[in-house]
Amino acid sequence: MTTADRTLRYLAFELTNRELDPPPVTPTIAELYAQTAENVSVVSALAGDVTDLHGSAITNHAAATSLRLDERAQLVGRAPVPTLLNDLAEAGLSWRQIALLAGVSVPAIRKWRQGGASTGANRLRVARLVVLLHWLSADMLIDDPASWLEMPLVPGVPVSRLDLLADGHEASLISSLVGPETPPESVLDQYDPAWRTTYQSDYEVFTADDGQPSIRSKPDRR
């Protein structure tokens, strides 16, 4: 058999096989819809798992951070209470704020400053405040953390991070810092889910004709 004959037989074989191959099946619109719907369902489930895992990771990191601060507080608490109080005052906290965060009265703070005895629990709370402010400054790179704590979370709403700490919501504060930047509104939602109505004002800020911010009554939209 010549080379030409072999070539012709090969071509005939290829043509015959191609004719035997079934034509490609074009999926119907319904089939395409079902397939894409299934893909969306799978991706949505995966996205939900990733969201849950991400939230769990942030919660665990916040808990670990809190434990680390507790550990530091045990070491810092070796210092005399007046020294710890002076550290807080030098950081920018007022005596009233220190008393609020420590859960005691201002006269109690005054007594401790003068060398009066404090309970071990109170001493630990003061040491924990020192550690927290140092963490905000050194680890979170917040300049003047005492002033930062006083800032309202949302303009027009009289709730600051200092209020969160005083009311036992330190975990929310830490979580908002160790994970991706958390919107202040979300932090407020955890603190007071009804804050939008609780602190609703009948006034609004607007720019007057002279370009300066002014306050006026909100228009009646009923």
Side-chain angles (χ1 to χ4, degrees), residues 31-155:
E31 290 172 336
L32 285 173
Y33 178 81
Q35 182 179 359
T36 54
E38 181 180 358
N39 291 339
V40 169
S41 178
V42 171
V43 171
S44 297
L46 290 174
D49 291 341
V50 170
T51 300
D52 293 341
L53 182 61
H54 184 255
S56 178
I58 292 176
T59 300
N60 291 338
H61 185 31
T65 300
S66 183
L67 290 175
R68 184 185 179 196
L69 297 181
D70 289 340
E71 185 179 24
R72 289 182 180 178
Q74 291 291 338
L75 297 175
V76 172
R78 297 176 181 178
V81 174
T83 300
L84 298 176
L85 293 174
N86 286 336
D87 288 344
L88 292 175
E90 290 177 1
L93 290 178
S94 68
W95 299 122
R96 181 190 64 80
Q97 291 171 332
I98 296 172
L100 178 66
L101 295 176
V104 297
S105 64
V106 174
I109 296 295
R110 186 180 305 114
K111 182 189 75 172
W112 297 346
R113 289 173 57 202
Q114 295 171 353
S118 65
T119 65
N122 287 333
R123 181 171 182 160
L124 182 58
R125 277 195 289 269
V126 173
R128 187 64 161 67
L129 286 175
V130 173
V131 169
L132 178 64
L133 261 67
H134 182 268
W135 175 74
L136 292 174
S137 175
D139 292 45
M140 295 295 101
L141 304 179
I142 296 174
D143 181 63
D144 191 2
S147 175
W148 179 79
L149 287 172
E150 289 185 278
M151 289 173 53
L153 284 163
V154 174

